[in-house]
Amino acid sequence: MALVIAAIVLVLAIVLRPQPLPEAQALPANHRSIETAQLRPAAAFATITDPAVRSVALFEEAGRVIQHPRCMNCHPRTDRPTQTDAMRPHMPWVTRGPDNAGAATLRCTTCHHDANFAASGVPGNPKWKLAPIEMAWQGKTLGQICRQILDPARAHMGRDQLLQHMAKDELVGWAWHPGGKRTPAPGTQAEFGALIDAWLKTGARCPA
Amino acid sequence: MSYSLTVNGQVRHVDEDGQTPLLWVLRDTLKLPGTKYGCGIAQCGACTVHVDGQPMRSCSLALEAAAGSQIVTIEAVDGPQADAIRDAWVARDVPQCGFCQSGQIMSAVALLRSVPKPTDADIDIAMSGNICRCATYNRIRAAIHDAAGSAQS
Ligand code: FES
Ligand code: FES
């Protein structure tokens, strides 16, 4: 009898022992939070007294934008764009075509329209297209890119237009508003434009 | 909000959010299910329709951007190139499961309209955004060549 009572007590003790209740857990965030990197303002370089050294430093800071995937993806060294922060080949398989906006039979506008489209995740801008092949940046050093953009034969633009392209062009400006999970270029287009302006005014010196 | 668009020759008024993909409007609102949903992210081509004559992925086109356009779907695509493609597709028995095929056909018709006698390379470029899980690519390519021959003769 005593054995039976002991067994019942034991079973009750096991069943009724205090147990932790299941706790609600937060769902994982749908999108990883997108961090916007800052740019050092052009004024921060005033402490560099030698204009040539300051010019190179300004361009190196601007290079954080120029060599960002948002800019590099559309400056490929082949006829195919790259995509994502990993700069992988564009899928589907597309080519630049005669006007850098796609082959006649597979235009960029088959999928890309005037604005980023959240439902499909496809980015967009009215001027969506690649930089010309002479302006290929991928695989180049910042110094090579610097000399290239100063060469009107390859850049197809003089210094005023270059500043305009960097500081005002709306397709370039997309890099700061890429939508979706895409990381924006550092800083703002205005800050980037100010760096380029200050670089040009200090003699447009290039890194080695 | 209300939008009007011309679909297969008829003016249609739809009352949907402007950011709704055209694909949903075609399939769910206008009950034209010939255009297929494959991926929804502009990767497969199953949803291809013609917008003002250009092939476009309807999953990646907002209703507000499509409003005012002439849209043609697989249900109504016609003309000599479409007829030639249809005949070649039947003769070659191109489809396997068929899911990708309305998109393939819309892209192929658009290709023949702009390049009447496409080379293999032309076909590869124009059709590279249309994926076929059953891998009917060789039959698609052969059928486009057949159609190019017959649409010209
Ligand atoms: S459903 Fe539009 S491309 Fe796949
Ligand atoms: S026929 Fe099955 S996916 Fe193309």
Side-chain angles (χ1 to χ4, degrees), chain B residues 83-96:
Chain B
D83 292 345
I85 287 284
R86 185 180 300 112
D87 293 347
W89 244 245
V90 171
R92 289 259 178 198
D93 234 345
V94 171
Q96 186 161 315

Side-chain angles (χ1 to χ4, degrees), chain A residues 91 93 105 110-111 113 117 120, chain B residues 19 40 43 57 60 114 128:
Chain A
M91 290 190 291
W93 187 88
T105 51
T110 307
C111 305
H113 304 292
F117 189 39
S120 64
Chain B
Q19 286 289 301
Q43 289 292 304
R57 308 292 182 249
S60 193
S114 85
S128 66

